[in-house]
Amino acid sequence: MVDVVPVPDPALVVLVGASGSGKSTWASSRYRTAEIVSSDALRGVVGSGEHDLDASADAFALLEQVVAARLGRRLTVVVDTVGTDPARRRRWLAAAHEAGLPAVAVVLDTPAGVCRSRNAARDRPVPARVLDRQLATVAATVGLLDDEGWDSVLVATPDVPTHPGNTPSTGRPTTVAAGTTSRSSGALPEQGAGLRGVVLQLSRFPADVDLLTWLRDVAAATEEAGLAGIALMDHLIQIPQVGRAWDPIPEPWVTLGALAASTTRLHLGTLVTPVTFRAPGITAKAAATLSALTGGRAFVGVGAGWWEREHTAYGLGFPSARERLDALERGIETMKALWAPGTKTYAGRLVSLPETTCYPRPVGELPVVVGGGGDRTLRVAARLGDGCNVLSDDAGLAKVARYLDLVDEAGRDRATVHATVLDLPLLGRDRDDVWSRVERHRGRVAAATFAARHHAGTPGEHADRLAGLAERGVTTAFVAPVGLDGPDDVLALAPLATAFG
Ligand code: GDP
Ligand code: MG
């Protein structure tokens, strides 16, 4: 069975179905063992085996405890019982909502005859009378679910030989049925689509391998994965959010020059260069040179700077936030002035230059993407820059909407700007791998919080999520995967490459 309707995650998932309807199979093909709590399995833990009915009371007591404990930590729990006890369902649902998790009922809508024959084939079949009663109670339960307050009620149609016209009857909840996958990829990435798409943001670099070789391998993998480009962080000391102070963090403009020699396709730039590090004319010169070296595939992410420690350590001033934002405005104006055609005098709002002689000239568009989500930053981005960069969470998406409104207000065409987000995904091959990576990287952050912050999931799940961002006006996702070590982790991003069309 392939789900057409995705089940929210994390969530309480309560299965409803008779013996042999395929509950345990449905659960184990989608969830990790630790996420499934099964009354049968617990009978086997506290009793003589899965069918030891004398152990039911103990098994259900444990089951209740597991459900409450996992929901309390906002972790997914799949309850694998027949699901026909209304009082238990009410209790589980209330506990999920109290924890702020969605609650989903999944009905295994398997024909009675199929359940009977599967049951008969078992080593320890449920007595026929008991199964008949289960089937009747499940049928009655389906009618009750709609009024119980579930966030959704899904019907899983089993992967049994189907007949034409076997469609869910009307009034029935959404079907999770055998069908086609919701995404099909494999198409080659569009080329020449500018900065649009998924750009790898490199923030971690190895200490013990040859840096140039590693960079070339990463660039090759980025091309092979079909991503649109590579962005480098601009920090003087590795930031605590990413690594330790003694981890290497190479100077980005020098490093981008090396990358320029390794690729003929990728867009290259910073995300973001603090205006506090270099006089804006020097950044303008470096970026124009990179544009010339790449034939027009350079971009400049700029920001106001935020980390006092690296400024102090390198002998740089770290003025107030207001002054840094003033510098950001002046910096963008200076860069744009220097990149403009000719060498004429420039007299702008904040900046005056006696001449604007900057050769080599940038080739084509050299977009300035302004990082930061404060309202003044968004206004500067809309008025002076060519794009914004905010986080990819809900708050960030609200800022994308605000930015696009400001672009309209500035009398500019929103089709020509770059509404970009910074996305920090945690990717795993499958659900098991995802959660072992969550455990590896979460530090002291609660697992559910860490998983939510990094949208922990498989590449396919991230691809669907990014496609959702595109629908909300995002043109480019700068993606910095949690724990990215090298080319193999970059290749794993291939399914994300086509998320922006
Ligand atoms: P439960 O009693 O509801 O937990 O049902 P199980 O998941 O244990 O499934 C009962 C039997 O049906 C097992 O032998 C499964 O292999 C088989 N089964 C379950 N789901 C499917 C399905 O979608 N297709 C097929 N062909 N067999 C299934
Ligand atoms: Mg079972």
Side-chain angles (χ1 to χ4, degrees), residues 342-390:
T343 60
K344 56 189 173 295
T345 299
Y346 176 80
R349 231 170 66 108
L350 301 171
V351 178
S352 294
L353 302 167
E355 60 176 312
T356 50
T357 309
C358 178
Y359 296 93
R361 311 210 53 73
V363 177
E365 188 200 27
L366 176 41
V368 174
V369 174
V370 183
D375 210 61
R376 180 171 169 200
T377 309
L378 292 178
R379 278 183 277 127
V380 168
R383 198 163 47 82
L384 299 174
D386 306 296
C388 70
N389 183 258
V390 293

Side-chain angles (χ1 to χ4, degrees), residues 290-386:
L290 186 66
S291 178
L293 289 173
T294 58
R297 286 175 284 110
F299 58 89
V300 190
V302 285
W306 55 267
W307 199 29
E308 187 167 7
R309 174 176 163 187
E310 61 188 341
H311 292 80
T312 318
Y314 280 71
L316 302 173
F318 187 69
S320 70
R322 186 203 168 107
E323 288 171 284
R324 300 200 307 277
L325 283 165
D326 290 344
L328 180 65
E329 250 180 278
R330 281 196 308 273
I332 299 171
E333 215 187 302
T334 304
M335 291 193 291
K336 294 279 182 182
L338 287 166
W339 296 336
T343 60
K344 56 189 173 295
T345 299
Y346 176 80
R349 231 170 66 108
L350 301 171
V351 178
S352 294
L353 302 167
E355 60 176 312
T356 50
T357 309
C358 178
Y359 296 93
R361 311 210 53 73
V363 177
E365 188 200 27
L366 176 41
V368 174
V369 174
V370 183
D375 210 61
R376 180 171 169 200
T377 309
L378 292 178
R379 278 183 277 127
V380 168
R383 198 163 47 82
L384 299 174
D386 306 296

Side-chain angles (χ1 to χ4, degrees), residues 1 17-26 80 118 122 158-160:
M1 263 187 276
S19 294
S21 61
K23 299 182 297 296
S24 304
T25 306
W26 186 91
D80 180 3
R118 285 180 184 168
R122 281 182 157 156
D159 171 25
V160 290

